[in-house]
Amino acid sequence: MSRFFAYLYTQRRVFFLWAVTAALLVMITYLYRLPLEPFGYAAVLSGAAGLLLLGTGYPAYARRCRDAELAAEDPGAFPDLAPPEGGPAGLEGAYQQSLRALTAACDEAHRTARDQRDDMLDYFTMWAHQVKTPLAAMRLLLQGEDLPPRSELEGELFQTERYVGMVLGYLRLGSDSNDLVLSPTALDPVIRAGARRFARMFILKKLSFRYEGTSARPVTDGKWVGFILEQLLSNAVKYTPSGGCVTVTADDRRLIVSDTGVGIRPEDLPRIFEKGYTGCNGRAEASSSGLGLYLCAQAAKKLGCTIHAASTPGEGTRVELLFPPEPPLYE
């Protein structure tokens, strides 16, 4: 019953208009000394017709109220409360349109959150399996009767540290916080720091490293450029056989890492920056996850850079990070 009275309240303007009209008829009848009976009869008939129309509109009002109450309890049960085609327009139509837009936005936010959760779950599941490999190798080395060679332990420890660095980079990439400071950045100390980090691996694999220094100062973020560089150096070390060479060059427009490794097949080259894609070389390498170059591409996008690769199978690979032609605003 309360719903019925609420419906009558929404139609209060109709009752007010009818009452004013009836009062005017009575006033005119009195002032002109006309018979009251015909005008009273017309007022009663119009009132009855109005009540009949109001009564036919109540079931639709009650149904929409029930749908709204159910939607409040379970938003997914009635995602669209808008009237059918040809229904009320104007303010009511705009209100219903806003409800549809809000529902669509909520659904999209829910799908995005679910995709991000699934994406992170997949990544950490794969990361947990990856990091187990060097940890298990170190445990086996330490269980031997003799002390394990220092170089073998250093190599496995380096892999563990690299996987931890990758997961931290992955978390920062997906964070809503502003972990990005663009400013004129000297590339030389960034490159030298990355080279020192991989120096032991170059020695263990008997690889030569070439870098002649640079005075370049592009507008970028040194920490993220270092992250990209380390991923590229890691791939170069992994896929370059003993006796090979890794070269780094840089200027104000680009940072280039090239190697004399196994190279990448032409059919794999367009997809190497896709998440989880390992290609022919990755399938031959048990520790390959297909995430290193994907993270490079995501970090480059965050910096406003572009990254692309060129390779010849059996001769080597060249990866180029291209800085923006016009520096963006920075703080």
Side-chain angles (χ1 to χ4, degrees), residues 146-166:
D146 300 326
L147 290 177
R150 178 185 177 90
S151 60
E152 294 185 10
L153 281 177
E154 286 182 346
E156 299 300 335
L157 180 60
F158 180 83
Q159 285 292 91
T160 306
E161 292 175 344
R162 192 175 69 84
Y163 288 144
V164 172
M166 285 180 64

Side-chain angles (χ1 to χ4, degrees), residues 55-322:
T56 58
Y58 174 72
Y61 172 82
R63 175 181 56 79
R64 293 180 60 193
C65 287
R66 287 193 300 269
D67 289 348
E69 292 171 357
L70 291 174
E73 298 175 0
D74 183 8
F78 294 88
D80 189 0
L81 299 176
E85 294 295 332
L91 181 61
E92 175 69 10
Y95 175 73
Q96 295 294 343
Q97 182 65 29
S98 68
L99 281 181
R100 286 197 296 270
L102 181 60
T103 301
C106 290
D107 289 342
E108 181 62 26
H110 177 71
R111 284 192 297 269
T112 301
R114 183 183 58 199
D115 292 342
Q116 290 178 344
R117 180 196 61 200
D118 294 342
D119 183 65
M120 185 167 292
L121 180 62
D122 291 342
Y123 178 84
F124 279 106
T125 301
M126 182 164 48
W127 179 87
H129 286 287
Q130 283 183 315
V131 81
K132 283 180 180 179
T133 302
L135 291 176
M138 285 188 287
R139 182 176 296 277
L140 288 174
L141 289 172
L142 292 173
Q143 286 177 349
E145 296 182 359
D146 300 326
L147 290 177
R150 178 185 177 90
S151 60
E152 294 185 10
L153 281 177
E154 286 182 346
E156 299 300 335
L157 180 60
F158 180 83
Q159 285 292 91
T160 306
E161 292 175 344
R162 192 175 69 84
Y163 288 144
V164 172
M166 285 180 64
V167 76
L168 291 176
Y170 180 84
L171 291 174
R172 288 198 300 267
L173 280 173
S175 174
D176 292 331
S177 62
N178 186 19
D179 185 28
L180 183 68
V181 179
L182 300 178
S183 62
T185 302
L187 291 183
D188 188 72
V190 175
I191 296 173
R192 293 186 184 277
R196 284 195 298 269
R197 179 171 172 77
F198 280 82
R200 186 62 180 170
M201 299 305 296
F202 284 125
I203 295 173
L204 292 176
K205 288 201 67 174
K206 299 180 181 179
L207 303 176
S208 60
F209 177 75
R210 295 178 183 175
Y211 170 63
E212 297 180 355
T214 180
S215 59
R217 292 177 58 85
V219 176
T220 188
D221 186 304
K223 180 173 65 176
W224 283 110
V225 171
F227 174 80
I228 295 173
L229 176 63
E230 289 188 6
Q231 298 304 317
L232 298 180
L233 289 176
S234 174
N235 275 7
V237 170
K238 182 187 298 184
Y239 296 111
T240 302
S242 179
C245 178
V246 177
T247 304
V248 177
T249 57
D251 55 36
D252 288 321
R253 291 287 292 114
R254 60 183 59 81
L255 172 65
I256 302 171
V257 177
S258 56
D259 61 59
T260 58
V262 296
I264 303 171
R265 291 186 177 185
E267 60 269 25
D268 291 333
L269 199 58
R271 300 187 59 190
I272 60 174
F273 295 107
E274 294 181 10
K275 181 181 178 182
Y277 186 77
T278 58
C280 179
N281 294 336
R283 285 186 286 273
E285 179 69 38
S287 62
S288 179
S289 63
L291 292 175
L293 291 178
Y294 166 76
L295 294 178
C296 287
Q298 295 302 307
K301 182 179 179 181
K302 189 172 185 177
L303 293 173
C305 302
T306 57
I307 186 170
H308 59 85
S311 181
T312 302
E315 296 183 10
T317 302
R318 170 190 170 102
V319 182
E320 181 177 293
L321 178 69
L322 185 65

